[in-house]
Amino acid sequence: MAKSTQPIPRGHRVALAALLTSLSLSAPASDDVVIDPALEALEQNEFDYDDSREIPWIEYKTNVLVMPKAQDLSPLELDEMPAGMELFVDKSRIAVHPEDGVVRMWLWVRSKFGAEQGSFEGFRCATREYKVYAYANPTRNPPVTSAKNARWRAAKSGVSGNYRAELQRDYLCGISGARSPQEIRNYMDSGSRGHIFLPE
């Protein structure tokens, strides 16, 4: 096919030159590419994040306290206690570990027929969990035995008979985590409850 030898009109030449100029400005060479430093840092942090820098939660060694005496137990009224059962607490020895934040205490459950059993338990406000470390029964020998396969369990609210969720919500836990032992005792002694919202 023969090439056209007709000259390009002057108006078309001007338009073509403008088009070529705009294309050359909008497509810089590879070594002239501008990088947004903020975006680059964001993408780098996304892929270079080191999760080993996170400090894992560590449960510290738990020493089971001696079984409480009858005179050391104080009744505590909870709405979620099973019918015919009453809860007692050894308030004088409630402890909150400064490192793992676990509230540890003796609980004592007694039925209207006189049957009773104690448990030394820990409560994690951050996760709404509890763990039973040991059980106590004054009629057995030895009266205190370590719990087999002790592990953290969910204290679910709204479940009939699961009084531990109510105990955490109304007495043991505050907005920022576990309350201090004295705060817990104050709520228990006054009969008032420090209701807090714990999301499901």
Side-chain angles (χ1 to χ4, degrees):
M1 180 177 181
K3 295 183 179 179
S4 175
T5 58
Q6 294 181 353
I8 300 175
R10 185 175 185 282
H12 290 182
R13 289 200 305 271
V14 172
L16 181 59
L19 177 61
L20 293 174
T21 301
S22 66
L23 290 174
S24 65
L25 291 176
S26 62
S30 60
D31 57 349
D32 292 333
V33 175
V34 177
I35 298 177
D36 184 341
L39 181 60
E40 183 183 32
L42 181 62
E43 292 178 348
Q44 185 176 16
N45 289 340
E46 180 180 353
F47 292 105
D48 294 346
Y49 177 72
D50 184 3
D51 59 4
S52 65
R53 296 178 182 177
E54 293 186 2
I55 301 176
W57 179 80
I58 299 175
E59 180 183 3
Y60 284 75
K61 182 179 179 180
T62 299
N63 296 315
V64 177
L65 300 179
V66 176
M67 185 179 70
K69 298 178 181 179
Q71 60 266 31
D72 296 329
L73 298 172
S74 302
L76 185 66
E77 184 177 347
L78 293 177
D79 298 331
E80 294 296 330
M81 285 299 296
M85 306 295 286
E86 189 175 9
L87 180 69
F88 296 83
V89 178
D90 182 358
K91 294 188 295 186
S92 65
R93 295 189 294 170
I94 294 173
V96 180
H97 197 285
E99 298 296 332
D100 62 18
V102 175
V103 183
R104 293 178 173 88
M105 58 196 298
W106 270 107
L107 302 179
W108 207 268
V109 177
R110 185 178 297 155
S111 75
K112 61 182 180 180
F113 301 107
E116 57 183 339
Q117 178 171 284
S119 56
F120 187 72
E121 304 188 15
F123 295 87
R124 284 189 68 192
C125 292
T127 57
R128 292 181 295 155
E129 293 177 304
Y130 73 95
K131 178 190 281 190
V132 179
Y133 297 103
Y135 293 99
N137 189 321
T139 63
R140 295 178 181 172
N141 187 23
V144 177
T145 56
S146 297
K148 295 181 179 179
N149 301 319
R151 62 183 178 87
W152 290 102
R153 302 172 184 270
K156 298 180 180 179
S157 58
V159 179
S160 179
N162 197 344
Y163 57 89
R164 293 179 177 90
E166 183 182 1
L167 181 65
Q168 284 184 301
R169 183 187 68 241
D170 293 354
Y171 296 105
L172 308 184
C173 305
I175 297 298
S176 58
R179 295 187 170 110
S180 69
Q182 189 56 52
E183 284 181 304
I184 295 172
R185 283 190 285 268
N186 289 343
Y187 276 112
M188 291 180 174
D189 290 339
S190 65
S192 62
R193 302 192 183 192
H195 296 280
I196 62 169
F197 173 73
L198 293 175
E200 292 296 334

